[in-house]
Amino acid sequence: MFGTVPLMAAEKPNIILIFSDDHAYQAISCYGDSRKLIETPNIDRMAREGIRFDRCLVTNSICGPSRATILTGKYSHLNGFYNNTNSRFDGSQVTFPKLLQKAGYQTAIIGKWHLVTNPTGFDHWHILPGQGRYYNPPMIKDGQPVQHEGYTTDLIADFSIEWLKNRDKSKPFLLMSHHKAPHREWSPALRHLGWDNDRRYPEPATLFDDYANRGVAVRDQDMTLEKTFTPLDAKLVPPPGINAEQLKAWNAYYEPRNKAFQDAQLAGKELVRWRYNRYLHDYLGCVKAVDEAVGKILKYLDDEGLSKNTLVIYSSDQGFYLGEHGWFDKRWIFEESLRTPFVARWPGVIPPGQVNAQIVSLLDIAPTFLEAAGLEVPADMQGRSLLPLMRGQKPQDWRKSFYYEYYEYPTPHRVMPHYGVVTDRFKLARFYVPQADGSKPDPDYWELYDRHKDPLETKSFYNDPAYADTIKELHAELDRLRHELKAPATPPKEAYGNLFMPKKNKK
Ligand code: CA
């Protein structure tokens, strides 16, 4: 029988969160993207031996805010971390690692942190400063700067396993193994250069989206392969921190291809197509190392006999565009950035091979871990434990709608602030730019998306009279959610990053 045996204090499970940065579900084979971009056997193994959530949504689709939400189980407007421009995490808040630590867990975070202030609630922390880099990363280990040689994804996996090996085996553990990859600039490991044999990738239907039938926000963004892609993104220059020996192998792959590209003098759609293929080679190459890192940790658990009593989750801080709408990056309430991969394995508790279509969220991670450890979930956490869903139960009162918020503007990427409500079928969102003097936002307008009629989200139906009743209902639901979640009518000015305070706390 699964999940019917109460957990005794002595049997507290170990918990591992393997978390990556900007990993699109389209780039995980068990999620079944029609382009068949990549095989990820280790993440797929977790899904096969556990559960895959197909609609895990993020609260605010960028790095820092998502991480703050995971730690606190709260939206940005309550945990105070709104954007990557000038937010600083208030480490005095209640977080799940602190609660686990207090309950006797040994806790560690290794890899990407990205919350500016030092980690709290961890017995051990070994983090990348800021975004970190892909090669030979400087890191900070329990407060001390250290310099490493090697490829960052491999190092994070190795440091994670080293910590597991040296832990106090009399205590349960929490390990957060957090990758930088596959974040921009998408620099693969040397062993993965050319991994795709110069494949020409199938194009998404919206690669050349003209942004018609939607408002100014979609037209005004700055995240296209066409206009925003830099020489570093394109690997026309090598990644920061790479050493002479690594550079030789790097150049052996890129130089002849870059020369052919420069000789071809591409323009217009052909240039976008070249960038799309270069981007996918690099991005997916980074994913390969992440999947291998997952495999290393699963193997360690197998070798040590720890698999059965360890809840392992693989997820990412948000989704990502792999050419859809002509984009890379994230931020939007639209599906590719709103949805993030989420698979979980806990043999004996999570029946294997499940696929769950309910709306779940990274908000739910903290309550899930606390309940798994037999601890009380603080009443002010805004998520809900996923354990019932993981056990295969179907709670009648599970959420049918979800609140989303995004603030950081105008840099980077000029994605206009917006918030909205998401259901299985619809998205109702308000796009707006607040004004410094507190006058009416400008622009300020609403959009409605219908994923049944328009799965690629290429049209707003907000002004279609046929949707009048739906829009009325969604407005009421959005008001209800904003009230329940304590979303402020007027967020503080610092929420918007550079919009009002362009000089503050540049990292
Ligand atoms: Ca991210």
Side-chain angles (χ1 to χ4, degrees), residues 21-22 63 317-318 330:
D21 194 335
D22 295 0
C63 308
D317 58 354
Q318 7 69 210
K330 56 256 182 177

Side-chain angles (χ1 to χ4, degrees), residues 20-22 62-64 67 112 183 316-318 320 330:
S20 56
D21 194 335
D22 295 0
I62 41 171
C63 308
R67 287 152 206 276
K112 177 103 179 247
H183 190 276
S316 178
D317 58 354
Q318 7 69 210
F320 212 67
K330 56 256 182 177

Side-chain angles (χ1 to χ4, degrees), residues 6-263:
L7 292 168
M8 308 304 288
E11 299 169 340
K12 282 190 188 300
N14 303 306
I15 296 171
I16 299 181
L17 176 62
I18 308 175
F19 201 62
S20 56
D21 194 335
D22 295 0
H23 192 174
Y25 57 87
Q26 307 93 300
I28 295 181
S29 37
C30 67
Y31 278 95
D33 189 83
S34 63
R35 286 173 284 178
K36 297 191 182 309
L37 296 174
I38 188 171
E39 292 296 320
T40 49
N42 296 297
I43 298 170
D44 290 10
R45 178 189 163 192
M46 284 182 60
R48 196 171 60 243
E49 295 176 356
I51 186 165
R52 184 184 90 215
F53 286 96
D54 274 2
R55 206 128 191 274
C56 178
L57 309 184
V58 301
T59 53
N60 178 356
S61 179
I62 41 171
C63 308
S66 221
R67 287 152 206 276
T69 287
I70 283 176
L71 290 170
T72 60
K74 292 176 183 170
Y75 275 85
S76 307
H77 61 259
L78 292 190
N79 67 41
F81 204 102
Y82 292 90
N83 62 65
N84 289 336
T85 307
N86 57 13
S87 293
R88 296 170 62 83
F89 187 67
D90 171 5
S92 71
Q93 295 180 78
V94 172
T95 63
F96 80 80
K98 283 188 189 175
L99 296 173
L100 290 176
Q101 191 181 42
K102 209 170 135 196
Y105 273 74
Q106 210 173 166
T107 61
I109 179 157
I110 293 165
K112 177 103 179 247
W113 169 249
H114 207 203
L115 290 171
V116 190
T117 54
N118 284 343
T120 54
F122 296 96
D123 299 316
H124 172 66
W125 51 279
H126 189 173
I127 59 170
L128 296 162
Q131 293 283 9
R133 56 185 210 213
Y134 275 103
Y135 279 87
N136 311 318
M139 291 180 75
I140 308 167
K141 188 176 182 179
D142 299 318
Q144 298 302 313
V146 282
Q147 174 63 49
H148 300 295
E149 290 293 302
Y151 185 66
T152 299
T153 305
D154 300 343
L155 293 169
I156 289 169
D158 294 345
F159 296 149
S160 297
I161 289 167
E162 198 178 293
W163 182 78
L164 288 174
K165 280 183 182 160
N166 296 321
R167 76 189 193 279
D168 176 351
K169 291 185 174 132
S170 69
K171 293 180 178 176
F173 64 81
L174 163 71
L175 168 64
M176 297 169 74
S177 184
H178 287 202
H179 294 285
K180 171 198 173 52
H183 190 276
R184 194 182 186 187
E185 80 284 347
W186 322 294
S187 289
L190 298 176
R191 68 181 177 283
H192 292 134
L193 297 178
W195 73 275
D196 65 353
N197 300 312
D198 295 307
R199 178 179 176 195
R200 218 172 147 82
Y201 292 91
E203 290 171 9
T206 55
L207 181 61
F208 297 104
D209 194 339
D210 63 4
Y211 310 128
N213 303 312
R214 281 150 289 170
V216 62
V218 169
R219 293 194 300 275
D220 194 45
Q221 43 64 39
D222 178 22
M223 50 191 277
T224 61
L225 292 165
E226 183 189 4
K227 293 186 177 142
T228 318
F229 211 64
T230 67
L232 180 63
D233 294 336
K235 312 299 176 297
L236 300 174
V237 293
I242 197 165
N243 67 32
E245 194 189 332
Q246 293 160 340
L247 186 59
K248 259 195 223 168
W250 182 270
N251 284 340
Y253 175 77
Y254 284 107
E255 271 188 348
R257 288 166 179 80
N258 289 349
K259 182 168 186 314
F261 163 69
Q262 269 142 359
D263 290 349

